[in-house]
Amino acid sequence: MAPTETLFTKIINREIPADIVYEDELCLAFRDINPQAPLHVLLIPKTPIAKLSEISDSDQSLLGHLLRTAPKIAEQQGHANAFRLVVNNGEDAGQTVFHLHLHILAGRNFTWPPG
Ligand code: 5GP
């Protein structure tokens, strides 16, 4: 694997299976293998950006697309009104897979502050 490639690249390339719920030319969304809510989907760009703090100006429209797509996925999954988006940036923030991803969580009450 190239340095920027993670298991999410393998999911994009259908080299390992995933329960895919949405795909377009720029991004892919699939159910988290270890769900933390009744709905727990990971939305990833097909471009393997390691983390949010590594985006460049040229990625702005891609990020906008991800934020525009997340509520569409929540709605498609029956959670139009209440969902939480989480981006863990860096190991100390809980990031374990270094391919940018938005967690889309819904279907239960969430507390604040998050743990
Ligand atoms: P992070 O901790 O980096 O913010 O989130 C990574 C997420 O990827 C975790 O919630 C973890 O459960 C999920 N994950 C790790 N490996 C796999 C996998 O092989 N398939 C799927 N669908 N999710 C995975």
Side-chain angles (χ1 to χ4, degrees):
M1 272 196 314
T4 52
E5 291 189 355
T6 69
L7 65 98
F8 288 177
T9 303
K10 289 180 179 288
I11 289 176
I12 293 167
N13 294 335
R14 291 355 190 231
E15 291 164 12
I16 60 173
D19 186 354
I20 293 169
V21 298
Y22 177 86
E23 180 171 23
D24 64 29
E25 68 281 12
L26 296 175
C27 62
L28 184 74
F30 52 90
R31 292 186 198 282
D32 196 293
I33 204 167
N34 182 23
Q36 301 301 311
L39 178 71
H40 188 172
V41 165
L42 302 173
L43 175 59
I44 68 173
K46 289 185 172 175
T47 306
I49 300 164
K51 54 183 177 174
L52 190 62
S53 57
E54 292 185 8
I55 59 145
S56 61
D57 287 350
S58 62
D59 296 319
Q60 278 196 46
S61 63
L62 174 62
L63 288 177
H65 182 72
L66 293 173
L67 281 178
R68 182 73 189 94
T69 302
K72 290 181 182 172
I73 293 170
E75 181 177 10
Q76 172 204 88
Q77 296 295 321
H79 297 281
N81 292 325
F83 56 89
R84 180 173 283 187
L85 298 183
V86 174
V87 178
N88 296 323
N89 187 88
E91 265 177 29
D92 289 351
Q95 186 173 6
T96 58
V97 179
F98 285 81
H99 181 130
L100 175 65
H101 50 281
L102 278 64
H103 295 259
I104 305 171
L105 299 142
R108 65 171 171 84
N109 291 327
F110 296 103
T111 57
W112 192 263

